[in-house]
Amino acid sequence: MAAALGIDLGTTNSVVCVSDGSGVRVLPDGDGNLLIPSVVSFHPAGDVLVGHPARERRLLDARNTVYSVKRLIGRPFRSPEVTRAQERFPFELREGPTQGVLVAARGETYTLPEISAFVLREVRRIAEEHLGQGVARAVITVPANFNELQRSATKAAGRVAGLDVLRILNEPTAAALAYGYGKGSRERVAVFDLGGGTFDITILELAGTFLGGDDIDLLVAEKMADAFLEHHRFDPRQDPQAYERLRAASEWAKCQLSVEEEVQLRIEELAYGDGGASLDLTFGFKRSALERLARPLVGRAFDVCEDAMRVAGIRPTQLDNVILVGGSTRMPLVREMVAEYFGREPLSTIDPDLVVAHGAALQASALAPDRPSVAPKQLAKVALKKVSLADLKAKNARRQELREEAAAALPAQPAFQPP
Ligand code: ADP
Ligand code: MG
């Protein structure tokens, strides 16, 4: 039987890994991409596009292109998160029969587990194509602060995609496993996860908040919109499709500025002026300007860190290690601020957007070894305790008993190959 998969089902991107005799491998799609956008687009021809082709559809057909469902999965329609998302998302959300959320596109409605199942099915297809055999079992990761409803909705998505979900594993636990923690060591590690839509800090205890690369993109897009308005007397915020293009350009510029000091970009035909003349946007942007813009936002992550540290009763400098997770930790500014706050260089030898799937694959192979003839694997435990953000807020009321996370089993010496 084929090895079980480790799947990081992310808000922005998903990653699939396998851990077998040759170590941990990220399985790329046919074009060599390691990150599969968690985006599903319903094409007028009736096709359902997933991943990169779907992500491109955001720029052309925002109304029928669904993303970031992980923010909403397992939440009631009337929750504040869903209400806020309705204002922000260009696609339509409706109330389902049991107060759940439905996505409406091209005359059909879909539950959120159904949307996630499209992503998981694609991930599974990529893995099968790569491995040249069928795969039916997987470990899927979720944020540590997901509640039971969110976990079971994720599990349901796996089942709809035809997967036998061996375990729902916490993302920070997976990242810790990827770096070989969990051999019963008493080290205290922080997992600093700044992805596309959320920021999560885990230090034995954890808290999560909506803060991520998306928010930085919006700040940049606002700046571009202002520049465009000043220049052409047209506000691109009036047109959701134009704004979507600005947002995509902002994200591109932000990512470029992680490796370059300066970028120039030009968006043609962002709008049309008098007599149908095409209005273009030209925008030059320096890393220093991005950092000025992003610093207060990234700073909010450290407020959350402060709260988590207080609950844990330790100082940032007392930690033995800090693990970077999430694409946004590629920003030099984030790395600097993390190093300064924790007083040490964070661990980042495993790509921060792949590390969770790596750990999930190690867990999957421990739960379902694909070569049972080798010596039985020694089992160890990772115990990350957790408290939710709501608990943190209520910390004055009561210092609540920390819940032990389900102990995870893994090989004593995880075979691991950095990408
Ligand atoms: P998630 O866990 O939310 O699915 P990821 O860990 O893949 O997401 O992170 C996605 C975020 O990382 C996006 O906001 C993306 O713009 C950002 N990102 C990816 N690469 C870079 C980079 N080189 N510099 C800055 N941000 C980046
Ligand atoms: Mg993630």
Side-chain angles (χ1 to χ4, degrees), residues 8 10-14 35 193-198 212-214 217 251 254-255 258 326-328 330-331 352-353:
D8 171 7
T11 311
T12 321
N13 296 302
S14 295
L35 302 184
D193 182 349
L194 188 58
T198 55
D214 293 354
D217 303 343
E251 181 178 11
K254 173 193 73 178
C255 292
S258 288
S328 299
R330 289 180 186 276
M331 291 181 74
D353 28 27

Side-chain angles (χ1 to χ4, degrees), residues 217-413:
D217 303 343
L218 291 184
L219 284 182
V220 177
E222 285 298 307
K223 257 206 132 44
M224 288 186 186
D226 289 344
F228 195 76
L229 176 60
E230 192 172 324
H231 202 95
H232 293 299
R233 308 202 167 280
F234 176 88
D235 191 347
R237 281 164 286 225
Q238 293 167 7
D239 173 1
Q241 196 67 67
Y243 194 68
E244 189 59 34
R245 290 178 65 203
L246 268 192
R247 192 210 48 78
S250 304
E251 181 178 11
W252 176 84
K254 173 193 73 178
C255 292
Q256 284 303 108
L257 289 173
S258 288
V259 284
E260 282 164 36
E261 291 296 332
E262 191 170 355
V263 288
Q264 285 291 334
L265 67 86
R266 182 177 169 80
I267 311 177
E268 290 178 357
E269 299 180 39
L270 189 59
Y272 296 96
D274 293 340
S278 125
L279 305 179
D280 306 340
L281 173 75
T282 332
F283 197 77
F285 204 36
K286 288 203 166 85
R287 184 191 288 175
S288 54
L290 172 68
E291 293 188 340
R292 260 199 309 282
L293 211 56
R295 189 178 285 275
L297 218 133
V298 177
R300 273 169 42 200
F302 297 94
D303 297 339
V304 181
C305 288
E306 277 297 300
D307 280 348
M309 294 290 161
R310 217 173 300 133
V311 172
I314 49 173
R315 290 194 302 277
T317 49
Q318 288 175 315
L319 290 160
D320 298 297
N321 251 317
V322 182
I323 296 174
L324 290 187
V325 177
S328 299
T329 65
R330 289 180 186 276
M331 291 181 74
L333 173 72
V334 172
R335 294 190 174 206
E336 274 161 36
M337 290 174 80
V338 168
E340 192 184 330
Y341 180 80
F342 291 99
R344 64 169 51 250
E345 284 305 316
L347 292 174
S348 61
T349 47
I350 307 177
D351 272 338
D353 28 27
L354 306 178
V355 62
V356 167
H358 268 260
L362 289 172
Q363 177 74 89
S365 94
L367 291 172
D370 70 323
R371 292 192 311 166
S373 56
V374 299
K377 287 169 173 161
Q378 235 180 294
L379 300 181
K381 289 175 177 188
V382 171
L384 293 176
K385 293 175 186 168
K386 61 177 187 179
V387 295
S388 70
L389 188 61
D391 296 331
L392 279 177
K393 284 185 179 146
K395 61 182 177 292
N396 293 335
R398 170 171 69 97
R399 192 73 185 264
Q400 90 160 42
E401 285 270 324
L402 298 173
R403 281 184 289 154
E404 282 258 318
E405 189 194 350
L410 90 164
Q413 284 298 335

